[in-house]
Amino acid sequence: QVQLVESGGGLVQAGGSLRLTCAASGRIWRINDMGWYRQAPGKQRELVTTITSGGTNYADSVKGRFTISRDNAKNTISLQMNSLKPEDTAVYYCNIRGITSTIVDFNSWGQGTQVTVSS
């Protein structure tokens, strides 16, 4: 089983910055995809950004403002969020998919961290 622990988040004024980090632990053999999703009140969970060996992908709403990065040695991903807007307010979830050391696919989610942007 692979566990994800998120850190970061909080309350920030519009135009400010926050950094989220997600650390994976457990019997990981290989990580394929890593990403961040968010869910605002009354809305469905949506993709924010993903990172794979092939590159990165961003939702149009965050392009140029958010940056995803990964540390393969530590099995962590981070999300640097700049120029935050009130519409970025949501619970942010990290997601990591890969293969365990027992050669079983896993698809794990973090516990979620609240990001609130005040106007």
Side-chain angles (χ1 to χ4, degrees), residues 15-17 48-49 56-68 79-85 88:
S17 299
V48 176
T49 178
T56 57
N57 176 53
Y58 294 92
D60 288 342
S61 59
V62 306
K63 282 181 180 177
R65 300 188 298 120
F66 290 12
T67 302
I68 188 172
L79 181 65
Q80 179 65 41
M81 304 183 292
N82 299 328
S83 302
L84 283 161
K85 304 175 181 180
D88 294 318

Side-chain angles (χ1 to χ4, degrees), residues 33-99:
D33 305 307
M34 309 172 89
W36 291 92
Y37 293 73
R38 67 186 181 187
Q39 187 166 17
K43 295 186 177 181
Q44 291 187 333
R45 189 173 298 187
E46 64 176 1
L47 171 71
V48 176
T49 178
T50 60
I51 184 168
T52 68
S53 59
T56 57
N57 176 53
Y58 294 92
D60 288 342
S61 59
V62 306
K63 282 181 180 177
R65 300 188 298 120
F66 290 12
T67 302
I68 188 172
S69 60
R70 64 189 292 177
D71 184 332
N72 291 328
K74 296 182 179 180
N75 288 334
T76 61
I77 54 169
S78 296
L79 181 65
Q80 179 65 41
M81 304 183 292
N82 299 328
S83 302
L84 283 161
K85 304 175 181 180
E87 50 264 43
D88 294 318
T89 296
V91 178
Y92 284 70
Y93 299 90
C94 62
N95 173 249
I96 298 180
R97 297 185 295 175
I99 303 173

Side-chain angles (χ1 to χ4, degrees), residues 5-10 18-22 36-39 79 81 88-94 110-116:
V5 176
E6 299 179 25
S7 59
L18 284 173
R19 185 177 181 85
L20 307 181
T21 300
C22 175
W36 291 92
Y37 293 73
R38 67 186 181 187
Q39 187 166 17
L79 181 65
M81 304 183 292
D88 294 318
T89 296
V91 178
Y92 284 70
Y93 299 90
C94 62
Q111 78 278 14
T113 186
Q114 178 70 46
V115 171
T116 303

Side-chain angles (χ1 to χ4, degrees), residues 103-119:
I103 317 300
V104 174
D105 292 339
F106 71 88
N107 181 6
S108 296
W109 290 87
Q111 78 278 14
T113 186
Q114 178 70 46
V115 171
T116 303
V117 184
S118 62
S119 57

